[in-house]
Amino acid sequence: MQKQGLLIVVSGPSGAGKGTICKRLLEKNPEIKISVSATTRLPRKGEADGVNYQFLDKRKFQEMLEKEEFLEYAQVYDNYYGTPKEYVFENLEKGYDVLLEIDIAGALQIKEEFSQGVFVFILPPSLEELKSRIISRGTESKEDIEKRFGCALSEIQQVIKYDYAVINDNIERAIEDVEAIIRAERCQVNRVYEQLKSRF
Amino acid sequence: MQKQGLLIVVSGPSGAGKGTICKRLLEKNPEIKISVSATTRLPRKGEADGVNYQFLDKRKFQEMLEKEEFLEYAQVYDNYYGTPKEYVFENLEKGYDVLLEIDIAGALQIKEEFSQGVFVFILPPSLEELKSRIISRGTESKEDIEKRFGCALSEIQQVIKYDYAVINDNIERAIEDVEAIIRAERCQVNRVYEQLKSRF
């Protein structure tokens, strides 16, 4: 019997640093597969199909949606974004762990469908730090910053729906926390019991 | 608010190597406290009170038993063995993680009383290896070996009642698994939620 891989869902409010954590985690653990989202928006300069996103036309996306081929999806203005099931489930079946970096709404949709995933919430060290991280991106107006901060604040309340909370006050420590979570989950009795039964 | 420590309960059949794992774990992580069992049996040569065991007379043990001052206890022939609550709870309250190396019957008693503990089952890599480890101790008759092996086999079936299973095919890897489990448990949302609420 082959052991199924883990679906590791990493999310958190913007400014918490989930992107950096996932990037470094994959660099350190190249055996982990990253799930690439599908979108109907056009590629931006420098974006490659299958790397940043899987770029689909609206008709194809709609077709997949009707066939329930997404783990989660969202519409943002005129465009759709979604996580195709096929890549995720194929790799899990092969025994690979699959990492998914996703916003909170998406993560909670996935949890409905696939509760055996490992749901990790990345938190900023403090609200002050979160605000200064949002400001330091420097691309937004004061109004946008306030909006983003308010949104992050309400998103943080969703942490209760997750399995793990990792406070990103030190990037290396946060990555090690996520690595420990993955390693520990691999030892969970309910995940390995079938294997053990055949062994003992 | 101070965060409560974790009660880490490590058990498994004899020959699985739980003793070595716990010893090395404590050497590598001196901040973890080890719970010392109480017993009414007499100290053997080289055993020190409060190190190997807390040596109590039967009257004192009985008195503690009546006051429900043990997390678990057992009678083996004429002697009693037990885990005093006081040391464990005092240290958990102070925020220290407490390690308890204990047999399976004791671990399951503790789980009844303190399900928020972290229950780790150490497994041998295979039944063949378990048998050869029991034999290589060399202190027992063939009959005793068979008895011990049969006992271990039925004990392994109890793994389903634990949170985690660690296969000890490589001692360093097994220790790292237990370390990862401890680290991951410290990130569990249900353990840190109160702290997070006061922070965000």
Side-chain angles (χ1 to χ4, degrees), chain B residues 120-155:
Chain B
V120 182
F121 198 95
I122 308 294
L123 287 156
S126 67
L127 289 179
E128 296 69 38
E129 175 64 19
L130 176 69
K131 197 162 196 171
S132 81
R133 284 185 196 175
I134 292 174
I135 291 170
S136 74
R137 296 192 171 184
T139 51
E140 283 150 300
S141 70
K142 205 173 166 193
E143 203 182 20
D144 280 345
I145 287 169
E146 282 306 324
K147 201 173 144 193
R148 198 175 270 271
F149 181 67
C151 182
L153 246 182
S154 75
E155 283 186 327

Side-chain angles (χ1 to χ4, degrees), chain A residues 108-139:
Chain A
L108 296 178
Q109 273 185 66
I110 294 173
K111 207 181 169 200
E112 291 275 309
E113 172 123 11
F114 196 78
S115 62
Q116 63 268 53
V118 181
F119 294 84
V120 181
F121 198 97
I122 308 294
L123 287 156
S126 66
L127 289 180
E128 295 69 38
E129 175 62 21
L130 177 69
K131 197 160 197 174
S132 81
R133 285 185 196 175
I134 292 174
I135 292 170
S136 74
R137 296 192 171 184
T139 52

Side-chain angles (χ1 to χ4, degrees), chain A residues 123-127 156 159-160 162-165 167 173 176-177 180-181 183-184 187-189 193 196 199-200, chain B residues 123-127 156 159-160 162-165 167 173 176-177 180-181 183-184 187-189 193 196 199-200:
Chain A
L123 287 156
S126 66
L127 289 180
I156 288 174
V159 66
I160 187 74
Y162 283 70
D163 302 314
Y164 298 97
I167 294 180
R173 210 154 48 207
E176 283 167 23
D177 279 344
I181 289 165
R183 187 166 187 154
C187 295
Q188 278 208 358
V189 168
Y193 187 61
L196 293 178
R199 201 159 173 175
F200 294 102
Chain B
L123 287 156
S126 67
L127 289 179
I156 287 175
V159 65
I160 187 73
Y162 283 70
D163 302 315
Y164 298 96
I167 295 181
R173 210 154 47 206
E176 283 168 22
D177 279 344
I181 289 164
R183 187 165 187 154
C187 296
Q188 279 208 359
V189 168
Y193 187 62
L196 292 178
R199 202 159 172 173
F200 294 103

